[in-house]
Amino acid sequence: MKKIIVSLVALTLVACGGSSTSDSIVEPETPEVPVTPPAPTEPETPVVNVLQLDGGVTNKTIPSCTPIQLVASPIEGESFVAEYDVTFSIATGGNVVANSEVKANGNESVLIATNDVTTGTEIIVTATYNDGSNEHVKTLTYTVEENLACYTPAPDVDSTYTLDANFETTTLDPLWTAINGTAFGEVSLSNEGVIGNAILWNKTAGGANAFNNGFNYDLSNNSRDWSEANFFDQLSTAPNQGRQIKISAWVKVTQETAADYTLLHGIYPESSIDGGNIGARRAAGVILEATITAAENNQWVYKEFTVSGSDPVSNTYTIPTTWRRFSQDSPAPMVAEFRGFTPTVGTQVSIDEYSLVISGELSGKTDPVIEELTLVTMNVSFVDPIWDGVTLPAGQECKKNGGDGSTPEMSLTNVPAGTVEFQVEYNDLDFRGEETGGFHGIIGYTHAGGTEATLIKVPGDIDTGYPTGTRLVQNNKGFGAWTSLGYLPPCSVASQTHRYAAKIFAVDADGNTIGEGDIQLANY
């Protein structure tokens, strides 16, 4: 609010006399005593409010739990007197965390976060600056929005699905992994977040492709169960269909040579497409983006993501009805990823204080009650004695390494009633970030019934011509020199020895996993 002092000058009107042309004698009027007007008063110079206040958010809303930085700076053409500070005051009925130690661009700023504040609450922030003669005041009013990521795990609870979007647990949730393992980069916790810890991806190798450089939450493997504790999974529930989501986060991109960097943020359902590859699953979701400019290199900046390709540009996305499991009308596990075109080794991308705001009326729909199933443990063994779980039989390596490997023939017992298919994930237990999820491919085997079954051999590096009763569920994820089709046999480099294993899931007619078993294939 501008504070302007206005001075008023009082004006006194003076009446003027007149004369007549008549010959009559006119008695002279009594002369008036002249009135001396008051000396004019110099007007006071108006005091211009030099303050402007900006929080970098649209529509004057704040996601609950996620801090925003309010910067008080001089208006154009004005400046602060160096020895005076700006003070901030915050008015609300809730618990607002304020940290006035943060500075930005030489101006005064405050970092505020709304913790446990009811959605819809108004927060009034006032900045006051006194230059020694006059006081300058600026006030902004914000409304708190519902943030699905507003979740604080219990102290020292570090487990899967803690999914702390503030990254304040002492270890990283194991579902946060680098895309394509460590082939392009590594993901870890950093203690240099905007507040406390942050998640950090560091590019260590590989090309610049935007599909490979980054990290994600959960692997897209069609096997993970939906979790109520996962706020990404909450997006696929029936009541949220048709509601709008809006995403923001604090981001820091560090490049050796500063340049504009476009960070892509994808959210998609991992089980919405039967046998769909990663490209098809990404297409079933949404891609959002935020640009970190060269001038913002190596700085924490608050970014509101916009829907990639939207015209006009939009920062909201409507949850579709297709974010469901392909086999039944139930919520789908969701995958979230951050990635970007990254040409230079050593580039780092950090995320902190992530928010996922949801708005709009609940759809009124309800999800079917899915009965929790207790998984039956199946017994798994090799049919051919050349497979002993330790040494890889000759010729069973990948073609890159001179072999022509196939999946081993395996015998199953204690198969649960109702099984119609087995889905077998082939994994490298020592390829960091890809220990599960079928990095070496997923093969399906039809089951006609009974408590026993035999899984026949399936050749590697094929995408068609599968033996009767088998099918390709998911291609392997090999890349570069390891690119191949279908099942990828063990394929370590000569200087390393990795453990290869298979995990077998029994699936019923509704697509539910009802049994599981595992076996180590070999060291290679």
Side-chain angles (χ1 to χ4, degrees):
M1 175 176 65
K2 291 186 177 180
K3 180 180 179 183
I4 301 178
I5 301 173
V6 181
S7 176
L8 298 179
V9 179
L11 300 178
T12 303
L13 298 178
V14 179
C16 298
S19 62
S20 171
T21 59
S22 170
D23 294 332
S24 60
I25 299 175
V26 179
E27 292 294 327
E29 296 181 358
T30 304
E32 293 183 358
V33 178
V35 178
T36 303
T41 304
E42 290 293 327
E44 295 183 17
T45 302
V47 177
V48 177
N49 185 1
V50 304
L51 270 182
Q52 58 182 353
L53 192 59
D54 182 32
V57 299
T58 58
N59 302 323
K60 296 298 181 287
T61 56
I62 301 179
S64 57
C65 298
T66 300
I68 66 167
Q69 187 177 42
L70 294 171
V71 178
S73 57
I75 61 176
E76 186 176 356
E78 299 288 344
S79 61
F80 287 157
V81 179
E83 58 264 33
Y84 296 104
D85 288 332
V86 174
T87 58
F88 293 84
S89 63
I90 303 170
T92 181
N95 173 26
V96 178
V97 176
N99 174 8
S100 59
E101 299 303 315
V102 179
K103 304 289 181 184
N105 303 323
N107 300 318
E108 299 289 334
S109 65
V110 63
L111 198 68
I112 67 170
T114 55
N115 295 346
D116 304 321
V117 176
T118 305
T119 299
T121 299
E122 284 193 346
I123 294 178
I124 301 171
V125 182
T126 302
T128 305
Y129 165 66
N130 194 308
D131 62 14
S133 301
N134 299 288
E135 188 173 75
H136 309 265
V137 179
K138 183 68 177 179
T139 298
L140 289 180
T141 301
Y142 292 90
T143 302
V144 177
E145 295 184 297
E146 180 186 1
N147 177 9
L148 284 183
C150 186
Y151 166 75
T152 304
D156 300 321
V157 174
D158 301 311
S159 62
T160 302
Y161 303 134
T162 54
L163 193 53
D164 172 24
N166 298 330
F167 304 105
E168 296 311 313
T169 50
T170 55
T171 59
L172 194 62
D173 184 326
L175 289 183
W176 283 112
T177 57
I179 296 173
N180 284 321
T182 56
F184 290 84
E186 298 178 345
V187 65
S188 62
L189 271 182
S190 164
N191 62 2
E192 297 182 356
V194 66
I195 297 178
N197 294 338
I199 189 170
L200 167 68
W201 177 78
N202 179 37
K203 181 174 175 61
T204 56
N209 192 306
F211 290 105
N212 297 320
N213 285 279
F215 56 98
N216 61 14
Y217 187 79
D218 190 29
L219 302 173
S220 181
N221 57 26
N222 263 0
S223 64
R224 181 175 66 77
D225 290 330
W226 182 88
S227 171
E228 185 177 5
N230 181 335
F231 59 75
F232 289 123
D233 284 2
Q234 288 291 330
L235 298 177
S236 66
T237 61
N240 282 331
Q241 292 176 9
R243 301 183 78 193
Q244 290 75 48
I245 58 174
K246 182 173 64 174
I247 292 171
S248 62
W250 283 83
V251 182
K252 182 169 76 170
V253 175
T254 302
Q255 303 178 86
E256 183 177 349
T257 302
D260 289 358
Y261 186 93
T262 299
L263 180 64
L264 302 177
H265 179 28
I267 301 176
Y268 59 91
E270 71 161 0
S271 304
S272 62
I273 300 173
D274 190 0
N277 60 26
I278 183 67
R281 290 174 187 164
R282 280 173 171 156
V286 59
I287 303 294
L288 305 106
E289 62 182 46
T291 298
I292 295 83
T293 67
E296 295 169 329
N297 186 57
N298 200 33
Q299 299 178 44
W300 279 110
V301 286
Y302 182 78
K303 291 293 180 179
E304 292 182 330
F305 287 80
T306 59
V307 179
S308 184
S310 58
D311 185 17
V313 175
S314 174
N315 65 351
T316 61
Y317 177 76
T318 301
I319 299 173
T321 58
T322 54
W323 284 8
R324 311 288 282 174
R325 279 191 185 273
F326 61 78
S327 59
Q328 58 193 34
D329 184 23
S330 63
M334 303 296 292
V335 178
E337 61 184 10
F338 294 92
R339 53 188 175 84
F341 179 81
T342 313
T344 308
V345 170
T347 297
Q348 295 183 339
V349 178
S350 299
I351 305 288
D352 196 11
E353 307 296 330
Y354 176 90
S355 79
L356 197 164
V357 166
I358 189 165
S359 60
E361 296 295 325
L362 294 171
S363 70
K365 300 177 182 178
T366 57
D367 288 314
V369 177
I370 301 176
E371 189 175 333
E372 290 290 331
L373 299 174
T374 301
L375 298 185
V376 174
T377 301
M378 298 180 292
N379 304 312
V380 187
S381 60
F382 296 113
V383 173
D384 191 331
I386 66 170
W387 289 85
D388 62 6
V390 178
T391 302
L392 183 68
Q396 294 303 312
E397 60 268 66
C398 64
K399 289 182 179 179
K400 172 181 176 294
N401 290 0
D404 190 20
S406 300
T407 65
E409 191 172 6
M410 293 180 284
S411 175
L412 305 179
T413 61
N414 199 37
V415 174
T419 299
V420 298
E421 185 181 51
F422 302 103
Q423 292 186 3
V424 184
E425 295 182 357
Y426 295 94
N427 297 304
D428 179 346
L429 301 183
D430 295 304
F431 191 12
R432 183 178 174 185
E434 300 287 355
E435 298 91 342
T436 62
F439 187 87
H440 281 250
I442 303 177
I443 307 298
Y445 299 80
T446 301
H447 183 57
T451 60
E452 298 182 356
T454 298
L455 307 183
I456 63 175
K457 293 189 291 184
V458 173
D461 199 19
I462 62 172
D463 63 346
T464 59
Y466 275 76
T468 301
T470 69
R471 71 182 181 101
L472 176 63
V473 176
Q474 176 184 291
N475 263 313
N476 73 77
K477 302 177 185 178
F479 50 88
W482 288 265
T483 301
S484 65
L485 302 170
Y487 164 69
L488 174 63
C491 210
S492 306
V493 297
S495 61
Q496 299 178 359
T497 299
H498 286 202
R499 296 167 299 149
Y500 292 87
K503 192 166 186 68
I504 300 94
F505 298 95
V507 180
D508 67 13
D510 294 323
N512 297 313
T513 299
I514 57 177
E516 63 181 357
D518 54 70
I519 189 170
Q520 179 160 319
L521 302 180
N523 299 323
Y524 175 72

